[in-house]
Every structure is written in C-alpha cells, then in structure tokens.
Amino acid sequence: MKPLLEIDDLRISFGGIHALDGASFHVNSGVTTGLIGPNGAGKTTLFNCISGLLSGSSGKVRFDGGDISQRPPEVISRLGLVRSFQLARGCENMTVFEHLMLYGPRQRGEGLLRAVLGGRQVREQEEALREEALEMAKQLRLSHVLDNLVTRLSGGQKKLLEIGRVLLARPKMILLDEPMAGVNPTLVQEIADHLVTIQQSGISIVLIEHEMELIERLCDEVIVMAEGRFLTRGTFEEVASNRDVQESYLGVRRQ
C-alpha cells in the first residue's frame, strides 16, 4: 500500500512536558486506521500538529508526497487533509444548512471581486453546492433539522454535521477525533455505518477512538501511541495481544 500520510520524528513540548516525543509512522492510502493509546499519549496533539492548528513542532509531516510541516490549516485542508474535532460546536448563529454550505471548497463568491464579477458562474457554483449540501443532509439523516441552529442539535447530530462538513470539503483523508464521544448508542451505530461507506468510497480515515469494539469493527489497521511516541502497529488482534500494548494501554503488568 502507498503511504498517504508520513510522520517523521514529530516533537512538541508544553512547559517541559513532551506531548510528542519523536512520533514516527505512516498511514496507508485507502484504509481506515485506528489511532489508540492511553490518555496523554499525544493523539489529539498529533492531529493538531498534522492539521496545522499547533505551531512550534519539529520533525516532518508529508501528505500525498508533499511536505506540509508548519503549513497553515486552510492550505492543508485545500490539499485534501481535513479533520473533525472531539467537541463539535459549530457557529452558534448558523443553521445546519448554512454550515454545510460554508465548507464547499474554492467558492467563487468568497472574494468580493469575484462575487461581483463572477455573475452566472458564481450562481451556478452556489446552486451546485446547495444541491450537494441537501444531498449530504439527506444521507446523514439531517434533512429534518436543516433550518435548526447548531446549538439546538443533539450531541450525535453535531457529530453527523461534522462528518458532513469534512466530506463537503472533498478530502483525500479525514482525521476523526473521537467521533462517537457523547453520542447515544443508536447514533453510534449510524455514524459507524457512515464511516464504513466513506472508506468504501476511497477516502482514507484516521480515527481516534477509545471504544475497542468500534476500532475492531471499523479499522483495517491499528497504530498504538504511548508517551508521545509510536509504540506498534498491526491488525486489531495483533495489537490487542501485544504485551507492550497490554502493559502501556490496558494496564497489564509483566510477570
């Protein structure tokens, strides 16, 4: 398999604490990869560095063959690497439909000059994006709340909206930070089904998740982090039976 994301000796510290301490591994294209590890292992910090939200790290991050180290988030997103957030808040004064419309890539009407001079092309692009947003809402079963403010959504509906947002950005890879956290069991299964469909469409997924049943069901490969470093990788069965993983992650002590 061809690596789509490559991380080499990534390091960052906060007040003397090494949040990432030489993390190095790659993520393959076209698969769903689980990223697991105990609290404090550096998983979300890793996502923040990869996606450009945290500056000051050292090391290299390559995506789709190009160096994206220290590049701003909007550039990384346009290259096709898009992330979600564990706490899906959104803009409190915007509706579900407005959120979905917001994240269409390279909109001609975003610039004042192009909006004024673009005329028919701007209108055509906006209509196409409108149809995409409506179809995405239908697929995610959010059509009935399209006109609701995001503050009126349940936790699960906000997570579904996050998924819709990242998909409308037309990514090659999505980084999902605990997409099931705070979601009721019924919607957990619905979100899991959507993630299977996304992977089958050819979009690569890296998934932070603490529920091992979901990791086992969804992930082709699992990468384990501990103390800001890469620990091991393999199938779910391989990492679950690894003694180093059991000691660092599951709390099993060596005899």
Side-chain angles (χ1 to χ4, degrees), residues 22-39:
S24 299
F25 55 86
H26 68 270
V27 179
N28 290 317
S29 176
V31 299
T32 297
T33 301
L35 183 63
I36 69 172
N39 290 332

Side-chain angles (χ1 to χ4, degrees), residues 8 13 17 21 24 31 65 82 96 101 104 126 132 139 141 147 168 179 187 201 209-210 228:
D8 182 21
S13 299
I17 298 174
D21 192 17
S24 299
V31 299
V82 185
V96 169
M101 288 287 289
E126 185 170 330
E132 279 190 74
Q139 291 177 18
R141 300 183 187 179
D147 295 326
L168 283 171
L187 275 179
S201 74
E209 179 55 55
H210 288 290

Side-chain angles (χ1 to χ4, degrees), residues 143-233:
S143 298
H144 63 295
V145 293
L146 268 178
D147 295 326
N148 286 16
L149 295 175
V150 69
T151 51
R152 294 178 56 192
L153 300 183
S154 69
Q157 288 171 332
K158 289 178 181 178
K159 292 300 179 78
L160 287 169
L161 180 57
E162 273 282 277
I163 291 173
R165 175 184 69 79
V166 298
L167 289 178
L168 283 171
R170 299 173 190 169
K172 299 174 184 176
M173 173 180 280
I174 57 178
L175 309 178
L176 299 177
D177 192 350
E178 296 194 46
M180 317 296 187
V183 178
N184 71 60
T186 301
L187 275 179
V188 164
Q189 295 308 314
E190 184 176 331
I191 292 173
D193 290 342
H194 285 303
L195 296 186
V196 171
T197 301
I198 291 167
Q199 189 269 331
Q200 290 173 345
S201 74
I203 298 173
S204 304
I205 299 172
V206 184
L207 171 69
I208 295 175
E209 179 55 55
H210 288 290
E211 288 293 335
M212 292 299 103
E213 289 183 5
L214 289 167
I215 290 290
E216 183 177 17
R217 174 189 170 189
L218 296 172
C219 298
D220 304 288
E221 186 173 43
V222 181
I223 292 172
V224 186
M225 290 183 65
E227 298 179 342
R229 297 186 295 272
F230 169 82
L231 182 61
T232 190
R233 73 188 304 150

Side-chain angles (χ1 to χ4, degrees), residues 4 26 29 36 38 52 69 71 79 104 110 120 140 150 177 184 234:
L4 184 58
H26 68 270
S29 176
I36 69 172
S69 308
R71 302 196 75 178
L79 290 172
E110 288 180 340
R120 180 175 59 84
L140 297 174
V150 69
D177 192 350
N184 71 60

